[in-house]
Amino acid sequence: MVDAPVESPLALTRRARRTYRILAEHYPDARCELDFADPYQLLVATVLSAQTTDVRVNGVTPTLFARFPDAQALAAADRTEVETIVQPTGFFRAKTDSLLKLGAALVERFDGQVPGRLRDLVTLPGVGRKTANVVLGDAFGVPGITVDTHVGRLVRRFGWTTEEDPVKVEHEVGVLFPRREWTHLSHVLIFHGRRTCHARRPACGVCPVARLCPAYGIGETDPARAASLVRTGPRA
């Protein structure tokens, strides 16, 4: 058996960029699916999105933001009231704790404003590098690659990296694309991961980038059966 030729860095870059172009055309509406009006709202919504869906977060944030419209109000919030509002998102006690501490930290250290730098954001309670990149990319226009479970899964299936550590993934994928494309690349990959390239049963038979994917065949390859697996919107 002859081993497959090793892909050169240039060939990998070309394949990755072609994959992205095809997916971007396939998902022209790819965007952040959390509803927000300002950096504070996006930061809070992203913290709430852990271990749940954007649909559930969007279901509670209108009430949460009406009651606690800024960091000052959140810092002074009644714990029981916050828990009641965010309960549908799961892990509501831990999330409430993070939100109260987040509000206090924003007030005490940043005059109630969400900082626009990665090194400041990651010091906030409940905020890791993934959350920071979401806020930077969508609220401040600072390019970043958001390595959530979907992005990590897809870039390994695509053969863009073999790394498991999110920071290493971010670095290896980042060198394949111009920095200005990082935020939109993340949205496109998340859309594809949520709708077609699922963790357990990817719809390989209708995947628009099947011929560019080394992992083709790990999921359903029959077009009709694969089509039945495709989601048309975010998971509720």
Side-chain angles (χ1 to χ4, degrees):
M1 182 176 180
V2 179
D3 291 337
V6 176
E7 190 173 32
S8 70
L10 178 59
L12 172 60
T13 299
R14 286 175 172 171
R15 181 171 63 84
R17 293 185 180 186
R18 189 175 182 185
T19 300
Y20 167 54
R21 287 196 300 271
I22 294 171
L23 289 176
E25 291 176 0
H26 192 73
Y27 302 106
D29 57 343
R31 67 195 187 285
C32 177
E33 294 185 283
L34 291 169
D35 296 335
F36 69 97
D38 54 43
Y40 162 75
Q41 290 190 2
L42 180 57
L43 179 59
V44 169
T46 306
V47 169
L48 285 175
S49 70
Q51 304 297 316
T52 191
T53 65
D54 289 355
V55 171
R56 289 193 179 184
V57 174
N58 291 339
V60 306
T61 48
T63 301
L64 185 69
F65 295 146
R67 185 67 184 85
F68 310 109
D70 51 36
Q72 289 83 357
L74 187 61
D78 175 75
R79 175 180 294 273
T80 301
E81 185 177 3
V82 176
E83 287 182 351
T84 300
I85 295 172
V86 306
Q87 186 171 5
T89 68
F91 303 96
F92 63 94
R93 291 188 179 88
K95 290 180 180 180
T96 295
D97 191 56
S98 291
L99 291 182
L100 297 179
K101 290 178 179 177
L102 176 62
L106 288 173
V107 171
E108 293 167 5
R109 292 161 44 202
F110 299 104
D111 297 321
Q113 302 301 306
V114 176
R117 298 185 301 184
L118 180 67
R119 64 175 179 267
D120 292 329
L121 283 167
V122 296
T123 67
L124 293 169
V127 179
R129 193 176 179 92
K130 179 183 74 174
T131 295
N133 275 326
V134 170
V135 174
L136 289 173
D138 289 292
F140 291 102
V142 177
I145 296 174
T146 302
V147 185
D148 70 352
T149 56
H150 300 291
V151 171
R153 178 175 73 252
L154 265 64
V155 298
R156 284 186 287 272
R157 284 180 177 173
F158 290 159
W160 296 356
T161 182
T162 58
E163 296 290 349
E164 296 285 342
D165 178 79
V167 176
K168 293 180 179 178
V169 170
E170 187 180 330
H171 173 73
E172 290 206 350
V173 173
V175 302
L176 300 174
F177 299 91
R179 188 170 182 267
R180 66 180 181 274
E181 295 179 345
W182 288 355
T183 299
H184 189 248
L185 170 69
S186 300
H187 291 322
V188 167
L189 292 176
I190 291 169
F191 259 56
H192 189 53
R194 287 176 172 172
R195 288 157 173 78
T196 304
C197 194
H198 312 304
R200 295 185 178 179
R201 292 189 68 194
C204 294
V206 292
C207 177
V209 294
R211 61 193 177 88
L212 296 172
C213 180
Y216 173 78
I218 65 170
E220 180 57 67
T221 58
D222 177 79
R225 288 195 292 267
S228 70
L229 299 174
V230 175
R231 298 190 181 108
T232 58
R235 183 165 57 92

